[in-house]
Amino acid sequence: MQITGEMLLGAAAVRGTQGSVRAFAPALNEELEPAFGVGGVAEVERACVLAGQAFDAFRAAPLDTRARLLEAIADNITALGDALIERAHLESALPKARLEGERGRTTGQLKLFASLVRDGRWLGAVLDPALPERKPLPRSDLRAQRIPLGPVAVFGASNFPLAFSVAGGDTASALAAGCPVVVKAHPAHLGTSELVGRAIQKAVADVGLPEGVFSLVIGEGNAVGEALVAHPAIKAVGFTGSRRGGLALSAISARRREPIPVYAEMSSINPTLVLPAALAARGDALATAFVDSLTLGVGQFCTNPGLVLAIDGPDLKRFAETAAAALAQKQSQTMLTAGIAAAYDDGVNTRAQTAGVEQIAQGAASAAPGGARPVLFRAAAELLIGTPSLEDEIFGPTSLIVACRDEAELARVLEHLEGQLTATLLIDPADYPLAGRLLPILERKAGRILANGFPTGVEVCHAMVHGGPFPATSDSRTTSVGTMAIERFLRPVCYQDLPAELLPAAVQDGNPLGLWRLRDGELVRG
Ligand code: NAP
């Protein structure tokens, strides 16, 4: 499939007229063909109007049609073959094997949402039949289901050009809910975005849905994204990216005449706790595994272990020495964009100059352009508590080892931390009592708590939570990965005493959709 540099507005491919931008190959340090036309407010207007027009027909289509759309998108992405991997590799400098894995995750999650759509439990069908004889007052006939919010604006992140981008988790969950989607292409992977966008555009046509179910707009600077979030047809936003970007879009939503939910997945430093028994028994192995996780993908994961917490003593000293030796063996590698590489250097330099912070290791330099050298720091817990900047995410392969005097200080540090996507416990059985005492704090701080692993892998399944209290996300009640992500784009509607002829299928007597429903408080399939 040819990359043309056009936006996809419904069924049309349209060249933006507000100038042009090119994608960039960070590993080659050169611009890529073709030039992409930059869109403006007119294209955002077209995409949003089409999405608004498509909404009622899309949500009224049979659930099987919606599921087939998701499956067709997955199939069309697979059919793009090596061309997609080649382009994503050029634009991101991520290894092809990693991108192949990410493609599998992307198509797998589309298919998972297709099966979820067919299952229909997410409709939340509830029936409380009338109680005409009830005293002192009769009860009306009350039934409820959940309906989609309306068109959703999606902003993907630079570090997952497939799984958190045009056909990523936000798009899959919004389409599964019955919401048309308008994606703002990420400037770091414009060609990848167009290829995947065309795969979605074709799928919409293949299954015979209205063209406005999907559009892809391109902008330069923030204007297009801002106009998209401000557009009255848009009823929710799914964003993955920086804290600054997420907060900017939330602020635009708050200023709208009709404020809308902005589900922004932002930044996290993912505290990793090495508790005393595990530290004593296998500190060396844990230190090496920690450095491998920290430097995986040049540290460009929102789940990167950016903070290690442990109780001070000879075991922690040895852990730090082993980690430092392992990190010194790691070479600098090309980052996703020049901007991310510059922000990483700034962040690391600032941290190195922070009084009381000790730089204990640095990876080797290499000839890779736009490279990031891994760096490991150490500090005392009281410094972390007194220095807010030490909690800022530095996106890349760097982490801070924090020594706590005792259990009480460890708990104090945890209480002090901002919200996180993850918290990790590296523990042996003798650590379970302490871990149990810390768990209530961790539950208040993080969306996912894991034991004896590292947080960088995020499984796509029913139980996954990729979310957490602010600033990890703008709304801690939700997840952006896994099937629970559909909840973000639904709202309940109650039907009171509606004639049977007017009731939606999900709550009709006779259960024509064959759903699991809550009837008089009992879960039944009837
Ligand atoms: P980013 O710079 O915030 O960009 C994300 C998208 O939002 C881009 O399309 C960007 O387009 C747009 N955008 C950003 N600020 C905007 C504004 N003020 N107005 C309108 N649009 C705006 O993030 P990134 O560089 O792609 O990703 C790196 C960051 O993402 C890291 O902090 C990382 O931790 C985080 N991340 C978080 C998760 C998670 O799930 N929590 C996952 C992956 C990455 P323009 O640049 O064209 O404006």
Side-chain angles (χ1 to χ4, degrees):
M1 193 182 278
Q2 191 78 10
I3 300 172
T4 62
E6 293 164 303
M7 279 171 284
L8 307 174
L9 305 181
V14 176
R15 174 158 284 277
T17 57
Q18 310 294 306
S20 68
V21 281
R22 281 174 195 274
F24 192 79
L28 305 177
N29 201 21
E30 64 183 37
E31 289 189 325
L32 294 168
E33 294 295 335
F36 287 77
V38 174
V41 172
E43 287 81 11
V44 170
E45 171 72 17
R46 177 78 186 137
C48 293
V49 166
L50 283 173
Q53 288 168 350
F55 180 44
D56 275 339
F58 182 38
R59 71 190 183 93
L63 294 186
D64 185 62
T65 306
R66 217 186 284 175
R68 285 193 294 112
L69 170 67
L70 294 163
E71 289 162 347
I73 296 171
D75 292 344
N76 292 350
I77 289 173
T78 304
L80 289 169
D82 287 347
L84 178 64
I85 300 300
E86 290 288 344
R87 182 73 190 197
H89 171 63
L90 271 178
E91 292 184 332
S92 67
L94 294 170
K96 289 184 189 173
R98 140 79 199 267
L99 290 164
E100 282 162 5
E102 198 182 319
R103 176 177 58 189
R105 170 179 167 169
T106 306
T107 55
Q109 97 187 339
L110 286 160
K111 289 178 180 169
L112 182 66
F113 275 105
S115 70
L116 182 83
V117 168
R118 286 199 179 92
D119 173 88
R121 256 174 288 192
W122 54 273
L123 279 161
V126 185
L127 289 80
D128 285 332
L131 299 174
E133 310 303 329
R134 192 179 70 171
K135 300 283 182 240
L137 288 174
R139 183 175 81 184
S140 294
D141 181 87
L142 293 155
R143 303 172 188 225
Q145 68 161 348
R146 295 193 294 177
I147 69 162
L149 291 182
V152 172
V154 169
F155 294 75
S158 54
N159 58 341
F160 280 89
L162 300 172
F164 278 92
S165 190
V166 178
D170 284 340
T171 297
S173 52
L175 291 176
C179 300
V181 166
V182 181
V183 176
K184 148 74 175 57
H186 196 290
H189 45 259
L190 291 168
T192 307
S193 295
E194 184 187 325
L195 287 172
V196 174
R198 286 184 182 275
I200 302 178
Q201 187 187 50
K202 180 173 179 308
V204 171
D206 287 348
V207 297
L209 283 164
E211 58 170 329
V213 163
F214 173 77
S215 290
L216 175 71
V217 293
I218 297 171
E220 190 181 23
N222 298 148
V224 159
E226 289 171 1
L228 183 56
V229 175
H231 197 283
I234 294 297
K235 301 300 180 197
V237 178
F239 169 92
T240 309
S242 62
R243 189 191 304 195
R244 201 177 49 181
L247 292 181
L249 300 187
S250 299
I252 294 170
S253 159
R255 287 197 299 272
R256 284 173 49 126
R257 185 182 171 86
E258 176 199 2
I260 52 174
V262 176
Y263 300 108
E265 308 299 320
M266 303 180 285
S267 57
S268 181
I269 55 171
N270 307 298
T272 299
L273 283 65
V274 199
L275 295 194
L279 189 61
R282 50 196 177 99
D284 284 347
L286 291 174
T288 312
F290 152 66
V291 168
D292 286 343
S293 171
L294 175 66
T295 52
L296 186 75
V298 205
Q300 299 168 121
F301 291 110
C302 47
T303 48
N304 210 36
L307 179 67
V308 174
L309 300 171
I311 294 173
D312 207 0
D315 293 332
L316 180 58
K317 186 167 177 286
R318 181 162 171 175
F319 174 93
E321 284 165 3
T322 307
L327 188 113
Q329 301 299 314
K330 304 282 182 185
Q331 283 212 319
S332 81
Q333 291 177 60
T334 303
M335 296 195 91
L336 290 156
T337 68
I340 288 177
Y344 175 76
D345 282 346
D346 273 0
V348 163
N349 289 338
T350 305
R351 184 153 295 177
Q353 285 156 23
T354 305
V357 174
E358 183 191 356
Q359 180 175 316
I360 60 168
Q362 184 174 39
S366 76
R373 288 173 78 172
V375 182
L376 195 53
F377 296 102
R378 180 167 54 195
E382 60 209 14
L383 188 75
L384 177 69
I385 290 173
T387 317
S389 65
L390 291 181
E391 278 191 75
D392 291 346
E393 177 196 57
I394 302 175
F395 191 60
T398 185
S399 189
L400 176 67
I401 299 176
V402 168
C404 305
R405 274 194 304 272
D406 49 24
E407 175 187 334
E409 189 168 51
L410 177 57
R412 248 196 329 278
V413 169
L414 291 177
E415 288 287 8
H416 166 83
L417 285 182
E418 296 183 312
Q420 305 291 334
L421 291 170
T422 71
T424 298
L425 290 162
L426 300 177
I427 44 176
D428 277 359
D431 294 314
Y432 292 176
L434 171 56
R437 290 193 290 280
L438 297 175
L439 203 52
I441 310 178
L442 299 182
E443 285 172 339
R444 282 192 272 110
K445 295 290 175 176
R448 177 163 58 110
I449 300 162
L450 54 153
N452 292 330
F454 288 93
T456 30
V458 182
E459 182 75 32
V460 182
C461 60
H462 301 294
M464 177 49 66
V465 175
H466 188 64
F470 184 86
T473 76
S474 57
D475 189 334
S476 64
R477 293 167 296 179
T478 66
T479 172
S480 68
V481 177
T483 53
M484 284 192 278
I486 195 172
E487 315 272 340
R488 300 173 298 169
F489 304 120
L490 297 168
R491 68 179 178 86
V493 176
C494 175
Y495 307 88
Q496 183 166 337
D497 289 332
L498 252 67
E501 292 80 355
L502 293 182
L503 283 172
V507 292
Q508 282 172 10
D509 289 339
N511 197 8
L513 300 183
L515 300 172
W516 282 101
R517 310 192 295 185
L518 204 60
R519 195 183 181 96
D520 261 333
E522 249 183 72
L523 197 58
V524 291
R525 199 164 198 166

